[in-house]
């Protein structure tokens, strides 16, 4: 299969030296990209800034902002059989990027933020993608319910959900504990290292892709 994987955080500039971002390390997405490549698939990894090495045998497209990730996905999704959206995309960016470093002045500073494009949410409708579509959901409450809403709203075949309020798993950790939310059922996987979980998730996605091809 040809597989697109998004990973890492995005970085939204405020001025030439400052930006808004989040705690995503990119580890889950990079582990997925590596596991797909090891299973013999052709992988394009579209990634925000991380400190990780690009896995062997993976095509790499680095981006910084949500808008750049949106454009990269739009350009490449058409020739993919499957797409896995593991990136922690900023939902908002500063309304304006100051050309010069913002100087300190008053006691408070109010930032105006504007919405970024929902990349995963554009894939089925706007980009017309008909392949296997997998999203991630990082939640702090009502994990299964919120993940199922995302699955339906964004037209996914699978949402891989994790509870980011649990210490030691998920964001910025080597370990994860995920709930697999499919259209017809839900399956909880035991906590494990991300690089052990990834091949297991790849096998699920291969199965979904085979089902889609057969139907
Ligand atoms: N995602 C994306 N583009 C965005 C925001 C999110 O592609 N602008 C993708 C993520 O990569 C992930 C999924 O959407 O696969 C879920 O992200 P999340 O931020 O949890 O979903 P939202 O729809 O933004 O919902 P909320 O923030 O309200 O929980």
């Amino acid at each position: 299969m040809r597989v697109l994987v998004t990973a890492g955080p995005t970085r939204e500039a405020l001025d030439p030296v400052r930006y808004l971002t989040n705690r995503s390390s990119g580890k889950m997405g990079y582990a997925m990209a590596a596991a797909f490549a090891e299973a013999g698939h052709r992988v394009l990894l579209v990634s925000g800034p991380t400190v990780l090495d690009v896995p062997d045998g993976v095509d790499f497209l680095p981006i910084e902002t949500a808008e750049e990730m949106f454009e990269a996905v739009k350009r490449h999704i058409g020739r993919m059989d499957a797409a896995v959206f593991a990136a922690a995309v900023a939902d908002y960016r500063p309304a304006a990027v100051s050309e010069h470093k913002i100087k300190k002045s008053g006691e408070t500073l109010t930032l105006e933020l504007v919405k970024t494009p929902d990349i995963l949410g554009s894939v089925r409708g706007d980009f017309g993608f008909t392949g296997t579509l997998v999203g991630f959901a990082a939640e702090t409450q009502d994990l299964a319910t919120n993940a199922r809403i995302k699955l339906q709203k964004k037209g996914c075949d699978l949402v891989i959900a994790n509870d980011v309020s649990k210490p030691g798993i998920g964001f910025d950790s080597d370990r994860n504990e995920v709930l697999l939310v499919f259209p017809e059922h839900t399956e909880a996987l035991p906590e494990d290292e991300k690089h052990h979980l990834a091949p297991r998730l790849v096998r699920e996605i291969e199965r979904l892709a085979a089902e889609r091809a057969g139907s």
Side-chain angles (χ1 to χ4, degrees):
M1 293 197 289
R2 288 156 302 180
V3 186
L4 184 148
V5 178
T6 72
T10 61
R11 195 180 261 185
E12 311 296 334
L14 265 168
D15 71 13
V17 296
R18 302 184 179 98
Y19 52 78
L20 300 180
T21 189
N22 60 65
R23 283 172 47 204
S24 168
S25 62
K27 284 174 185 164
M28 194 67 238
Y30 277 56
M32 293 295 292
F36 273 114
E38 275 157 27
H41 301 291
R42 178 90 195 259
V43 185
L44 176 64
L45 175 59
V46 180
S47 176
T50 78
V51 298
L52 305 173
D53 292 329
V54 178
D56 286 343
V58 164
D59 293 328
F60 186 60
L61 183 43
I63 55 86
E64 281 213 354
T65 66
E67 189 64 44
E68 287 168 7
M69 184 172 274
F70 178 86
E71 291 300 328
V73 170
K74 186 178 173 185
R75 187 164 349 111
H76 294 283
I77 193 88
R79 54 191 174 76
M80 298 293 159
D81 302 300
V84 177
F85 286 77
V89 184
D91 288 326
Y92 293 88
R93 63 171 171 79
V97 183
S98 170
E99 188 189 343
H100 298 288
K101 187 177 166 220
I102 299 166
K103 289 288 189 190
K104 63 176 160 299
S105 51
E107 285 307 309
T108 62
L109 173 68
T110 304
L111 292 177
E112 191 187 358
L113 305 178
V114 294
K115 257 211 176 119
T116 58
D118 182 350
I119 308 168
L120 175 58
S122 305
V123 166
R124 284 284 186 232
D126 297 349
F127 304 163
F129 182 62
T130 55
T132 304
L133 187 59
V134 179
F136 274 74
E139 307 289 349
T140 56
Q141 55 190 1
D142 302 328
L143 187 61
T145 309
N146 285 326
R148 186 160 299 284
I149 292 169
K150 259 167 217 175
L151 177 96
Q152 284 159 358
K153 209 168 71 183
K154 303 192 186 193
C156 294
D157 299 292
L158 165 64
V159 166
I160 302 167
N162 68 301
D163 183 343
V164 286
S165 67
K166 278 199 184 178
I169 60 159
F171 264 6
D172 205 14
S173 166
D174 289 327
R175 301 181 69 79
N176 210 351
E177 181 185 343
V178 298
L179 185 70
L180 305 185
V181 179
F182 300 95
E184 307 295 340
H185 71 289
T186 300
E187 185 182 344
L189 299 187
E191 187 191 319
D192 204 343
E193 303 222 344
K194 287 179 176 175
H195 73 266
H196 285 151
L197 268 175
R200 168 81 170 77
L201 297 171
V202 163
R203 285 196 295 279
E204 287 295 339
I205 296 163
E206 287 171 336
R207 186 181 58 73
L208 291 170
E211 270 176 25
R212 192 170 262 278
S215 65

